[in-house]
Amino acid sequence: MSDATERLVNLALFLASTRTPISAETIHAEVFGYPEDQDEDTFLRMFERDKKQLRACGLALEVTDTEGAPAYRLDAEATYAHDLELDESERAALRAVAAALASDPGFPFGADLAIAIAKLGGRPGESTIASSLTDEMPDTQGAIAALLAEAVAARKRASFGYTNAAGEPRSHEVEPYGIFFRDGRWYVVGRDTERDDVRVYAVRRMRDVSVNTKQPKSTDFEVPAGFSVAEYMLLPFQYGVVPVDCELRFSAEDAWRTPRLTGGQGTLEPQEDSSVLWRVTARDLPRLARWIALNGPGIMPVSPPELRATLTEGLWKVVARHGA
Amino acid sequence: MAPKTTAAERARRLLAILPSLRPGAEIPLASLAASVGADPSELAADITTLSMCGVPPFDPYDLVDVFIDGETVVVGMALPALDRRVRLAPAEARALVAALETAGFVPGDSLLAKIAGVASAEVDADGLARRIRTATTAEGMGDVYATIVAATDSAESVDITYFSASSGSTRMRRVQPYRVFNSRGAWYVLAFDESVAEQRTFRLDRIRDAAPTGERFERPAMASAEGTPFAPGPASGTAQVRFDDATDVEGRDWPGASIELADGGADAKVPYATTGWLARRVAAAMGSAEVTGPAEMRDAVRSLAEKMLAELDE
């Protein structure tokens, strides 16, 4: 008796080998793996599932109308890739990310990554590269992030229990718009259906995550036009209530660090003296003062005056506590 | 127990390796299995299944002519179909983009553009960028990553311009990269710094630029493939740090530290290799943390804070 793997491979090979579109009836009769005594409805359901699986493998199926019935074959142009021309450093980069992340439980797409590299004709490095993308519950975070990524792609609602930073547990239903990763932690951005507000939730604080499986062929929600998950990747000092417009100056020597430190938040304006002025909205000035001290030297507060005062006051406290 | 691999997943793996099965090829089973992230014994079973697959009428010449000989996958005749590389499916493109973003390849990078060119038409690269983000940098630094990993592979020394968080200065160094690793999404390279004749760990997003020198080096035998961003050397010390508020301190931010909660605050013993890094961390606490010893560490914190105050006055 054949198994489903054999049937799927046989179907893929048949569709790829035929020049003329073939009917479902012919497929049922010719492809080894579909039971001969299977009734038509059962076969068609199985065939639908199989077509979906082949599409998930990257195969594009062309459907034509032949004498009033659909007929199928592989769309070669849409299926086959041209050779990817990479230089040695690009090949090394692909090998390295695969060797590190394909087997990292904190990376939610390890299996897909391995297949992708294989399809590009690459091989992971000879030895595994040490990788701990997430240092807290990597298996749990990776599995939940994978589940939520599928919910994002399928636009299906997700439900979960959540303990916020204050330690308060609560249940949430969210329309997940996107996911992001920062500093070893995965986050999901979505509209909380009860609060009717777009929020950011840390995956590590979730439990009992489930995705709506009802009506799998339809979506549960629309993502607002213009949504970009990057806009929710706030810096530590951007969480809070009252927004304050701030300006910071990166010295000419440290200007090159601005894109790496500012994470796309705010605007960067190069100055005539080669320094860079960063305009950014903060909601927590003491935290911004800490951020400046942590990421310096070469970063100076320009405005508002309260920011400079907060930083100065904090540094005097440091001096006082570490006096001789 | 690892979850059972589904039939669909097994089929996907087999379809992915088909183009590698050139007529007459002999491929190590372990290598082929690793290429699709499979266990060799699992892939061996799948290869056996594959040998029974083919196209109608399923005569011997219509089947995939492949078998396992010991630890080798042996290919006979040409495949009946699907012997060319197939485009990346949406989930595969998503995985590759997410992985490369962690390494500093951001939308607009040429490597990502090349990958988009071999992805299925169903892949919406712009939509993907709006929905999933693993990059923390606004500007790409994939060229630095690619240069460092290529030099690591080929054992070639590299000139890097590096910002040291310990000294707060940026300068050029010639390093021999031994291995790269990832921790909390940040990439590091363990390397021999020729300018100070010491082994050091460099964070890749603090490298402004990197250029291979063409000089080869002999890689020393490494005791372990493990990677850690913090590896104190023999001259390291341990600082005692008092935090006023325990909620201000997360153990993950103080590598190697032992932390005990006390009176609403926390007492930590923090190992350090040089005073610069720890002094900056404590100074950034804005007076809510205090180094209680040793004296050199207290002096380093005070000096740094005084220097920052002087800069604010300029």
Side-chain angles (χ1 to χ4, degrees), chain B residues 11 22 58 176 186 241 263 266:
Chain B
R22 301 283 180 200
F58 292 96
Q176 300 172 3
V241 185
D263 304 326

Side-chain angles (χ1 to χ4, degrees), chain A residues 112 150 185 260 308 321, chain B residues 12 94 207 244 312:
Chain A
D112 293 326
E150 290 309 314
R185 292 168 177 165
R260 302 184 186 187
R308 178 179 284 262
R321 290 194 72 165
Chain B
R12 183 167 73 134
R94 177 182 65 186
I207 297 176
D244 294 347
L312 281 167

Side-chain angles (χ1 to χ4, degrees), chain B residues 187-249:
Chain B
W187 288 87
Y188 299 83
V189 59
L190 179 69
F192 182 77
D193 185 340
E194 292 184 11
S195 59
V196 292
E198 277 184 15
Q199 190 171 290
R200 296 274 172 92
T201 299
F202 300 94
R203 192 170 152 144
L204 264 56
D205 62 4
R206 292 184 185 144
I207 297 176
R208 184 170 69 187
D209 44 56
T213 63
E215 292 179 8
R216 305 283 167 173
F217 64 88
E218 194 162 332
R219 199 191 319 266
M222 305 300 286
S224 162
E226 293 302 309
T228 168
F230 182 78
S236 301
T238 300
Q240 291 85 48
V241 185
R242 169 70 188 170
F243 296 90
D244 294 347
D245 184 350
T247 60
D248 261 358
V249 54

Side-chain angles (χ1 to χ4, degrees), chain B residues 100-101 103-110 112-113 133 135-142:
Chain B
L100 286 168
E101 274 195 8
F105 294 88
V106 297
D109 183 274
S110 65
L112 294 189
R133 187 92 170 153
T136 51
T137 173
E139 192 177 84
M141 50 169 214

